[in-house]
Amino acid sequence: MDESIHPALPWPGFTPARSFVLPLQATRMATPFGDTCLIDGMRLERKSEFHVTVLSQDMSRAAAGLGEARLHALYGSRQWTPRRTGRYALLHQAKPAGTGMLECWSLIEHLDLPAMLAFRGELARMLGDAFADPVPHVTHYVRGDPNGIAVSDIRAFQALRVRDVSS
């Protein structure tokens, strides 16, 4: 699958108090799995909101020092056209919750998004390696935490990945 999610995305704004995300059109996020997804005997629920997290909250706070105008210019110098790949992965993370742990699962789809790689690469050059090695993706299904699982970079992805999932 090499489907463009939509044409170039406009500047989504920047607030260092939250993640820097690109919203994706829900009407273009159909999957072959249906409204719920059964994987390895677990039922994952379909999300109703879709986005690509370009910068986590921590990264957004660090990048805020560059100023919104500079970030806007850096963002605007790239063509933000995410393309779907049809490649899915199952992720797992145990998150602290109350007195125990919450078992969280997500089914993500990898995206082809060269602009994100270039944008974060430039930030890594200016601000440090913490911005390098992004994993452009969209979360389609979740279990445990309705927000899904944060995947800040390739190392986090490798630690969270259970397996690839075929459609």
Side-chain angles (χ1 to χ4, degrees):
M1 177 186 297
D2 188 30
E3 175 187 334
S4 176
I5 293 169
H6 45 70
L9 294 161
W11 170 249
F14 178 78
T15 304
R18 63 177 172 82
S19 300
F20 182 82
V21 301
L22 300 176
L24 302 176
Q25 296 174 356
T27 57
R28 310 259 338 235
M29 291 288 102
T31 70
F33 303 107
D35 291 334
T36 59
C37 182
L38 189 63
I39 300 176
D40 299 340
M42 289 182 301
R43 185 171 305 282
L44 284 77
E45 299 298 323
R46 183 89 165 124
K47 289 187 70 182
S48 60
E49 175 276 330
F50 303 95
H51 65 270
V52 178
T53 302
V54 177
L55 299 175
S56 68
Q57 288 178 353
D58 291 342
M59 290 177 179
S60 292
R61 281 190 286 278
L66 295 175
E68 186 168 342
R70 192 165 179 193
L71 286 169
H72 189 271
L74 181 60
Y75 177 87
S77 69
R78 308 289 188 281
Q79 180 67 8
W80 292 85
T81 308
R83 294 197 178 276
R84 297 188 63 184
T85 65
R87 293 182 10 251
Y88 299 90
L90 179 65
L91 308 181
H92 173 260
Q93 181 180 38
K95 296 181 180 182
T99 60
M101 299 299 277
L102 178 64
E103 297 297 321
C104 301
W105 300 85
S106 291
L107 181 67
I108 67 164
E109 179 182 5
H110 295 278
L111 298 176
D112 180 21
L113 186 51
M116 182 176 170
L117 301 174
F119 180 78
R120 294 241 327 233
E122 183 63 19
L123 289 175
R125 189 187 66 72
M126 291 187 284
L127 299 170
D129 289 339
F131 292 90
D133 304 322
V135 179
H137 70 279
V138 59
T139 301
H140 288 282
Y141 297 88
V142 294
R143 179 180 175 122
D145 183 341
N147 295 314
I149 298 171
V151 182
S152 57
D153 57 32
I154 191 70
R155 287 166 295 285
F157 171 74
Q158 290 168 338
L160 298 165
R161 182 183 163 276
V162 175
R163 66 179 180 91
D164 293 334
V165 175
S166 61
S167 55

